[in-house]
């Protein structure tokens, strides 16, 4: 009736919607009314699927017929640490096949922790005429043959990024399959490849692509070839070196330094495998323009790191090994006032004794000296409540705080108390904290703090912590924005899980391994919550061959509109309505 | 009302307050030395023992903790045969379980801890390429190897650099795979489970039903234990816990290869 008078023509709405890019906002738009839902779905170009099993290809394609960009994530995060057995799932093939049929104009595919076959890569190469971006992050299952297909066929490819994927490297020949006429490369990341690529082909490719901004080489590219590559791409903004070592010759060094100096736009450096410390100063000419530096593979000692870091006054992001030590972090705090993100990785994670002088003090210094610090990942061997308290008060603007005290259940080394209060201070003061990883000796109290204060918390990782179900209950009932919860080796069981079952539908996923959740409780959960997939993984055989009260080894619960998945291997069981009836 | 609160099943939420604190010991990971109390939490399957006893007799530790480096093991050095079956003229003495064993260079591993990505672990663990090797192929090396066991439903990956000796390796494998020797697993069907899983395990050990083999750089399958530890980690591409019946003919090949190398 009067409705029509108040509504805009579709085209106008579409145009307005095109300015809304955030997924959350587009989702909100689609909920306003039916006609907005319809218009929005037809003009949606980009979709992010955080869990590939939460939805299915047909459902996606039916709702969004005109996508240009799809991002999918497969395995749970703990797969990075070998906790998810081979064959678990996350297969990209069904998605790629379906999209090949439905989206001939698809331009971008980004996959994370998925299993991708050469066949899938071949399908991508042949199906999308305007294909531009392929990002395979922590993926596996493909070989350099698949890459050859991409290189040979994707005329409009802009970005090929294989970050941290496991590629079966059969030969470096694939790079030569980019035709001579191909010049549109803007970003190439092959840092994960084991074998040498054809270096001549690489040099030619680099020099004929005028828009190349990102080049991340693999370890096999020798240092003495780097200057040539840099001279072929003086417009580079991001560089990952290969092995950073060579015979010590003065001409190699000066050649390198000159080449670096020629890259006036270079802002990001990474790589640095096998570093020969005397070659590090070759990057000095550009230190003052660097905003991101990844030295996390550079096994050099603190003095050399200090020399480098103290020149990088614009640095925003530093990834480094604990060789930097407390002294180095103090220098960092004094020199790099724009630092936003710090990650310190352990050089000897399995050693029994500390091999470097890196303690909680380093992190405290950085928290004091760097007012913009938001994101922290820190591996160390000792921590105190006092230090955590200081860090929390210094940096209430922290949004990501991941602390790994290497020895599980380590107490405050000064007082021998649990670290509850320290982490409590973090969640209390850092009101915008979105991601938190705990470690050290922790009781249920820390979870009470988290439930009380962690209102913006979206992702929580817990290991070897807590005393009882109360801990889990605090988190599930208190953290309003929780999306991902991953727990290992904690005494959390049935009560908290079942009491908060509905909460699980508001989250992306829950992972619990080596906890005390019984098979019976999993069945109940699966039965009562049809919109959750409750998956039990057990290496010792079918869970129904043991008493109901037996704890399951691994539990992965996620919300889904696609029902139980059909591609589970033999060690994964879904607790759904049917199975519950069958088993009991 | 309770449905809206998201409550399912078992009792009032108020019961949370009196929930029984779980016995920490039950979940505590103890990293004991091989031969000592098994460092595995108890499940309804009962405490897992077995292989640590079996290997006590086989892997003799030298003083510096890097066991196995100059070990001359008998031809039939099968990982899972107990000392009582030791028919080889093993020149090395069997250690007593109560004797203090020198600590290994690295701790026995908890899977996935500390939380470091495999990619990073592999990159850190490898040696830089030798400058004087003409055809130095600077591959990261295959430190993450796939481990399969005949009859087991799935394979695992393990990082050989986590272990300093064959003993470390075998106790890790024991933890990973011992469940499979305790019964038929891997299908959704009914499993025939004996009342005493331990006795079943012992039976299997006595029968030497499994041997540990590996695929080396040349693609050959060899018995584990015949070469010094470092040589093994250098060349091992994947591991397979093979049924003994399938391992016939491996031992002689391994010894030949060893001889031709030296």
């Amino acid at each position: 009736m009067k409705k029509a008078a108040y509504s805009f023509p579709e085209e106008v709405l579409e145009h307005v919607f095109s300015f809304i890019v955030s997924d959350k906002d587009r989702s909100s738009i689609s909920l306003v009314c039916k006609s907005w839902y319809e218009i929005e779905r037809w003009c949606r170009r980009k979709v992010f699927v955080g869990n590939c099993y939460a939805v299915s290809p047909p459902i996606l394609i039916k709702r969004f017929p005109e996508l240009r960009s799809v991002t999918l994530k497969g395995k749970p995060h703990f797969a990075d640490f070998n906790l998810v057995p081979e064959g678990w799932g996350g297969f990209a093939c069904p998605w790629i096949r379906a999209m090949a049929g439905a989206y001939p104009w698809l331009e971008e595919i980004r996959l994370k922790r998925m299993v991708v076959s050469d066949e899938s890569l071949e399908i991508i190469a042949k199906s999308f005429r305007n294909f531009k971006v392929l990002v395979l992050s922590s993926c596996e299952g493909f070989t350099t043959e698949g890459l050859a297909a991409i290189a040979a066929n994707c005329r409009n490819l802009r970005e090929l990024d294989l970050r941290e994927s496991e590629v079966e490297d059969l030969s470096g020949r694939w790079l030569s399959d980019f035709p001579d006429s191909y010049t549109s490369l803007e970003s190439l990341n092959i840092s994960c490849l084991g074998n040498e690529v054809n270096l001549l082909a690489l040099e030619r490719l680099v020099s004929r692509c005028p828009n190349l901004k990102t080049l991340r080489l693999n370890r096999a590219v020798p240092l003495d070839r780097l200057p040539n590559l840099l001279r072929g791409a003086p417009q580079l903004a991001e560089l990952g070196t290969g092995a950073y070592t060579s015979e010590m010759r003065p001409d190699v060094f000066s050649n390198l330094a000159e080449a670096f100096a020629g890259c006036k736009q270079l802002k990001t450096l990474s790589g640095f495998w096998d570093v020969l410390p005397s070659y590090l100063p070759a990057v000095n000419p550009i230190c003052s323009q660097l905003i991101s530096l990844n030295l996390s593979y550079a096994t050099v000692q603190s003095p050399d790191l200090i020399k480098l870091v103290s020149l990088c006054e614009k640095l925003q992001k530093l990834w480094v090994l604990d060789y930097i030590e407390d002294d180095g972090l103090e220098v960092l705090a004094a020199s790099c006032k724009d630092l936003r993100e710090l990650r310190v990785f352990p050089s000897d994670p399995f050693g029994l004794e500390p091999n470097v002088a890196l303690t909680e003090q380093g992190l405290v210094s950085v928290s004091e000296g760097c007012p913009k610090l938001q994101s922290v990942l820190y591996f160390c061997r000792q921590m105190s409540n006092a230090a955590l308290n200081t860090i929390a008060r210094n940096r209430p603007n922290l949004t990501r705080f991941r602390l790994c005290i290497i020895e599980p259940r380590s107490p405050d080394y000064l007082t021998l108390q649990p670290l509850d209060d320290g982490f409590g201070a973090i969640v209390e003061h850092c009101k915008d904290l979105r991601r938190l990883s705990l470690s050290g000796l922790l009781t249920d109290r820390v979870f009470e703090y988290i439930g009380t204060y962690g209102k913006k918390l979206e992702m929580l990782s817990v290991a070897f912590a807590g005393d009882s179900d109360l801990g889990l209950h605090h988190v599930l009932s208190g953290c309003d924005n929780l999306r991902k919860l991953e727990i290992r080796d904690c005494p959390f069981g049935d009560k908290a899980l079942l009491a908060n079952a509905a909460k699980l539908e508001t989250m992306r996923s829950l992972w619990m391994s080596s906890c005390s959740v019984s098979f019976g409780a999993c069945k109940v959960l699966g039965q009562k919550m049809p919109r959750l997939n409750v998956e039990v993984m057990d290496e010792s055989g079918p869970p129904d061959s043991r008493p109901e009260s037996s704890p399951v080894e691994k539990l992965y619960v996620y919300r889904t509109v696609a029902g139980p998945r059909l591609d589970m291997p033999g060690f994964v069981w879904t607790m759904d309505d049917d199975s519950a009836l069958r088993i009991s | 009302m309770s449905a809206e609160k998201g409550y399912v099943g078992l009792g009032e939420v108020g019961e949370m307050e009196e929930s029984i604190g779980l016995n920490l010991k039950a979940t505590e990971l103890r990293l004991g030395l091989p031969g000592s109390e098994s460092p595995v939490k108890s499940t309804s399957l009962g405490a897992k023992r077995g292989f640590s006893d079996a290997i006590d007799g086989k892997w003799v530790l030298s003083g510096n903790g890097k066991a196995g480096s100059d070990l001359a093991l008998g031809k039939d050095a099968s990982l899972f045969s107990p000392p009582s079956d030791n028919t080889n003229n093993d020149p090395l003495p069997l250690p007593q379980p109560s004797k203090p064993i020198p600590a290994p260079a690295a701790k026995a591993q908890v899977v996935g801890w500390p939380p470091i990505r495999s990619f990073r672990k592999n990159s850190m663990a490898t040696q830089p390429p030798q400058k004087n090797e003409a055809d130095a192929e600077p591959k990261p090396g295959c430190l993450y190897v796939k481990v399969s066991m005949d009859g087991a439903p799935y394979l695992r990956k393990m990082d050989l650099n986590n272990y300093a000796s064959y003993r470390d390796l075998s106790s890790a494998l024991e933890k990973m795979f011992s469940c499979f020797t305790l019964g038929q697993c891997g299908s959704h069907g009914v499993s025939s489970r004996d009342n005493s899983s331990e006795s079943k395990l012992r039976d299997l050990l006595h029968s030497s039903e499994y041997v540990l083999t590996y695929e080396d750089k040349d693609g050959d399958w060899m018995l584990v234990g015949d070469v010094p530890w470092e040589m093994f980690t250098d060349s091992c591409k994947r591991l397979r816990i093979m049924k003994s019946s399938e391992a016939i003919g491996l031992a002689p090949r391994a010894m030949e290869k060893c001889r031709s190398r030296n």
Side-chain angles (χ1 to χ4, degrees), chain B residues 26-62:
Chain B
T27 53
E28 188 184 278
L29 283 175
R30 282 159 306 189
L31 303 173
L33 296 168
S36 63
E37 190 186 278
S38 176
V40 169
K41 68 176 180 229
S42 55
T43 66
S44 56
L45 292 175
K48 298 175 188 176
R49 295 171 58 238
F51 295 156
S52 48
D53 297 335
I55 59 163
D56 261 354
K58 281 288 157 195
W59 313 109
V60 178
L61 303 174
S62 53

Side-chain angles (χ1 to χ4, degrees), chain A residues 33 39 82 150 177 193 195 255 331 367 376 386 466 516 544:
Chain A
C33 64
I39 297 169
N82 256 16
I150 298 285
D177 288 340
L193 293 182
N195 285 340
N255 210 7
V331 172
S367 75
V376 169
S516 314
D544 58 343

